[in-house]
Amino acid sequence: MSQGRSPFLTWMLVLGMAFLYVPMILLVIYSFNKSKLVPVWGGWSVRWYVELFQSPEVWAAVLLSLKIAVVNATFATMLGTLAGLAMVRFGRFKGRTLMSGMLAAPLVMPEVITGLSLLMLFITMQDLIGWPAERGFTTITIAHITFSLAYVAVIIQSRLVGMGETLEEAAQDLGAKPFRVLTDITLPRLAPGMMAGWLLAFTLSLDDLVIASFVTGPGSNTLPILIYSRIRLGLRPDINALATIIILTVAIGVAIAGIILMRQQRQRDRELARVAQD
């Protein structure tokens, strides 16, 4: 006998979704506000989008943030995948406990501590070997990779544990070399987890303000730093327009990733069904 849907759970779901998305909807609406005063509605207008697209400072921050996010996500995914494979597939090895602790540390370490420690590292290296000559793209990217790869490693470890080792052991029994097993079986099955890790690392990089503010230098403002510096001087309507564009971009990216993951899942289901029939 099926039970009806609980009104309490329905209302909790509605309230939770409203709490998350109503502020975003209001922000999008007020990005079309004609008035210079953010809280005062002055009619519909796209003037702040025009001003935003004509601002070289904003475009420089956007391009810098995107470049950092892409490089960070790519390297964090590669390093995080290797770390996850080592933790799950290599069994017990010397230094495993230390490595596990080092991977978990960025997840629980306050960002202020991480940013300060990286700043001291770059200053010390500059005094000893003269590198980095200045803080900017390189130092921010290294800092982001440092904490992003830990998140990717956690995702990869979870994926590997869920996959099991049955197919890999079967391939080895049939004579496949370890590298062939890795490239033909393990990595393709890890692809959804790697994509999820890449997207998470990309988002974390775009969102980071605290760590980037420690390891950046003059003329290397990322988008969060630029937004924060403008908000400190008072709310401006062009910030609403910029936030609306970011929300739209993220929504499109999530939709595309979801479609790709769904297609990959359907393809795997069809392959498994074909194997079961054979």
Side-chain angles (χ1 to χ4, degrees), residues 54 115 137 142 156 200 215 261 275:
Q54 293 176 349
F137 171 81
I142 293 174
I156 296 300
L200 179 59
V215 297
L261 291 175
V275 171

Side-chain angles (χ1 to χ4, degrees), residues 64 67-69 71 134-142 216 220:
L64 178 62
K67 288 192 294 184
I68 292 173
V71 176
E134 59 182 11
R135 292 187 292 274
F137 171 81
T138 303
T139 55
I140 298 174
T141 303
I142 293 174
T216 190
S220 299

Side-chain angles (χ1 to χ4, degrees), residues 213-230:
S213 64
F214 278 95
V215 297
T216 190
S220 299
N221 288 333
T222 60
L223 192 57
I225 293 177
L226 176 65
I227 293 175
Y228 180 71
S229 63
R230 289 193 173 187

Side-chain angles (χ1 to χ4, degrees), residues 16 28 50 53 85 97 101 106-107 129 146 149-150 153 198 220 242 246-247 257 270 274 276:
V28 172
V50 175
F53 281 99
L85 284 169
T97 303
L107 301 176
I129 63 176
T146 301
L149 71 87
W198 193 97
S220 299
L242 179 59
I246 294 174
I247 291 173
R270 286 195 294 266
R274 190 181 304 115

Side-chain angles (χ1 to χ4, degrees), residues 226-240:
L226 176 65
I227 293 175
Y228 180 71
S229 63
R230 289 193 173 187
I231 289 179
R232 290 180 61 187
L233 302 176
L235 292 174
R236 294 175 50 175
D238 58 341
I239 297 298
N240 290 343

Side-chain angles (χ1 to χ4, degrees), residues 27-29 31-32 49 239-249:
L27 186 146
V28 172
I29 293 174
S31 69
F32 295 97
Y49 287 91
I239 297 298
N240 290 343
L242 179 59
T244 300
I245 295 175
I246 294 174
I247 291 173
L248 178 62
T249 303

